[in-house]
Amino acid sequence: MNYARMVIEKEAPEEYGYDRIRYNLSESSIADQKLSEIGLSLPDLTLFYGEHRGDKALRELIAGQDTGLSPDYVLVTAGAAGALFIIATSLLSDKDHLVVVRPNYATNIETPRAIGCAISYIDLDFDNGFAVDLAEVAAALRPNTRYISVTCPHNPTGTMMSRADLDGLIALAERHGCYLLVDETYRDLSYGQSLPAAASLSPRAISVSSLSKAYGIPGIRIGWLVTQDAELYERFLAAKEQIGICGSVIDEAIARAMLERRDEFLGALMPEMKLRRDIVQQWIDREPLVDWVPPEGGVVGFPRINVGPAFDLDRFYNGLLEKHGAYVGPGHWFEMPRTYFRVGFGWPTEAQLRGGLDAISAALREQN
């Protein structure tokens, strides 16, 4: 494995220093939660080795969100990142091929690169609403393609596939004999109708999710993968056991308690997240230099700066941070032009969000 640090991690706000940022619009989750704030308390746990597959009651809660899924299809992992690492290292070698719909979550690209497999990229287009092109995906498939990698709701744009597109990708995987990996981290933050977990629709689909982004508890490092393919599940389980044997019983107890009150938590959260999305939309409506594809899920969007080649993007981003104290995720975090940036509207307070958006406008005027 030829590891290289991901740009998004090297430039993460925790690396730069939270104390140096006034308006942090770079985060991709809701605000970080405290146990007391969400009404959770820890039982008197025995700190033993937990179930290798993950706490059964937790797996039942995860599987119970979709028709036809069994707890035996669920493998609890160290965050969604742990699930993605297990999948990539279990399925890929330097002789294999992967299709990645890009932009994508960085781990879905960097781990395969470290493995050394061949990668074909399907680049989403702003002017097409960041919609996936099934014909382009089909044309990229090779005899040694092991899986197709997508995120939905999409990170960083917040767009969603239609059910027809999801079914079409699954059909491609089934016909080709490869897998479809769907990173569903934002699924519980869908503003309209949520798609079913891809893994509930076919043994050729693998679903990945976590409690980090939608529930604001990334510090417990709980994620999961779901697959109906029993042989594949055993391979993933073997990888987990060799990496860390099992998860933390403390983390899994917190995760279980959170999912037991999932409906209550999301019921209070979603109206606030819709309000935040509307605040960004209202800012874009009055900001002539910026446009976006309105997010349909998650708490991030991917605006485009409509400026010419003479516009100094380096000075813009430096001024935005150093002079105005506002931090966003520039396009190069996602291997996109820096005329794009990710804005996270779920993590900051409403006042911080409004202040950060005003700072972007001010920085644009200074460089235009």
Side-chain angles (χ1 to χ4, degrees):
M1 298 280 286
N2 184 23
Y3 289 113
R5 289 195 71 197
M6 296 178 285
V7 174
I8 193 172
E9 301 302 343
K10 289 194 289 186
E11 299 181 8
E14 57 266 27
E15 292 287 300
Y16 179 77
Y18 284 109
D19 58 330
R20 301 171 65 189
I21 303 171
R22 185 178 179 187
Y23 306 114
N24 187 359
L25 309 190
S26 71
E27 303 287 353
S28 57
S29 67
I30 69 166
D32 298 327
Q33 307 293 300
K34 295 181 179 178
L35 287 175
S36 58
E37 292 172 342
I38 53 180
L40 299 184
S41 59
L42 283 174
D44 186 17
L45 295 166
T46 301
L47 302 179
F48 57 169
Y49 285 107
E51 297 179 62
H52 292 194
R53 293 163 179 79
D55 177 77
K56 185 175 181 181
L58 174 58
R59 289 186 287 117
E60 287 173 345
L61 287 165
I62 294 167
Q65 297 179 31
D66 290 275
T67 303
L69 286 184
S70 162
D72 294 334
Y73 301 155
V74 178
L75 182 66
V76 179
T77 61
L84 297 173
F85 183 86
I86 286 172
I87 292 165
T89 54
S90 298
L91 288 178
L92 297 172
S93 73
D94 59 4
K95 299 179 178 61
D96 295 314
H97 175 250
L98 168 68
V99 175
V100 175
V101 175
R102 186 174 61 176
N104 206 310
Y105 183 63
T107 300
N108 283 319
I109 296 174
E110 293 299 343
T111 304
R113 279 181 179 158
I115 292 167
C117 69
I119 307 175
S120 294
Y121 299 103
I122 308 299
D123 289 324
L124 300 179
D125 182 10
F126 181 98
D127 293 322
N128 194 34
F130 293 119
V132 64
D133 186 327
L134 296 184
E136 194 175 355
V137 174
L141 295 174
R142 303 177 186 175
N144 62 335
T145 302
R146 298 308 305 278
Y147 63 92
I148 304 162
S149 176
V150 301
T151 69
C152 184
H154 187 250
N155 184 3
T157 70
T159 56
M160 286 183 64
M161 288 187 292
S162 67
R163 175 61 190 271
D165 283 345
L166 176 59
D167 288 342
L169 287 172
I170 290 173
L172 281 177
E174 290 175 338
R175 287 199 301 269
H176 193 80
C178 63
Y179 292 96
L180 172 68
L181 167 62
V182 185
D183 185 336
E184 300 170 349
T185 299
Y186 291 118
R187 188 164 74 107
D188 281 345
L189 294 181
S190 300
Y191 298 113
Q193 184 67 38
S194 295
L195 289 172
S200 70
L201 303 176
S202 170
R204 282 286 163 183
I206 306 166
S207 293
V208 167
S209 193
S210 81
L211 294 179
S212 298
K213 307 296 187 183
Y215 294 87
I217 48 177
I220 68 169
R221 307 310 303 136
I222 290 293
W224 56 86
L225 62 83
V226 186
T227 176
Q228 296 186 49
D229 185 322
E231 181 180 347
L232 191 61
Y233 185 99
E234 281 295 303
R235 195 184 316 172
F236 292 158
L237 175 58
K240 179 186 175 181
E241 289 172 332
Q242 291 172 45
I243 293 168
I245 303 176
C246 63
S248 161
V249 295
I250 297 174
D251 291 355
E252 291 184 2
I254 296 172
R256 184 174 66 247
M258 175 57 91
L259 284 182
E260 285 173 346
R261 58 191 302 271
R262 169 183 178 272
D263 292 343
E264 175 188 353
F265 181 81
L266 294 175
L269 177 71
M270 290 307 294
E272 177 64 21
M273 293 304 102
K274 289 178 182 177
L275 172 63
R276 304 291 188 82
R277 182 184 60 166
D278 290 345
I279 289 171
V280 183
Q281 183 64 66
Q282 291 159 12
W283 170 72
I284 284 178
D285 289 343
R286 64 177 185 269
E287 177 47 74
L289 296 180
V290 179
D291 197 6
W292 75 344
V293 177
E296 299 171 288
V299 289
V300 295
F302 206 48
R304 179 176 64 181
I305 306 171
N306 299 312
V307 292
F311 186 88
D312 192 330
L313 288 165
D314 288 335
R315 287 186 61 195
F316 163 71
Y317 283 112
N318 289 336
L320 179 63
L321 181 56
E322 300 297 338
K323 179 178 179 180
H324 298 280
Y327 204 35
V328 297
H332 70 263
W333 283 11
F334 310 97
E335 302 186 355
M336 292 284 285
R338 298 180 78 212
T339 47
Y340 294 90
F341 61 89
R342 187 179 70 183
V343 57
F345 51 83
W347 192 88
T349 65
E350 181 180 333
Q352 290 168 342
L353 175 61
R354 292 183 184 275
L357 295 173
D358 288 342
I360 296 170
S361 290
L364 285 169
R365 298 294 176 273
E366 290 167 358
Q367 304 304 325
N368 193 40

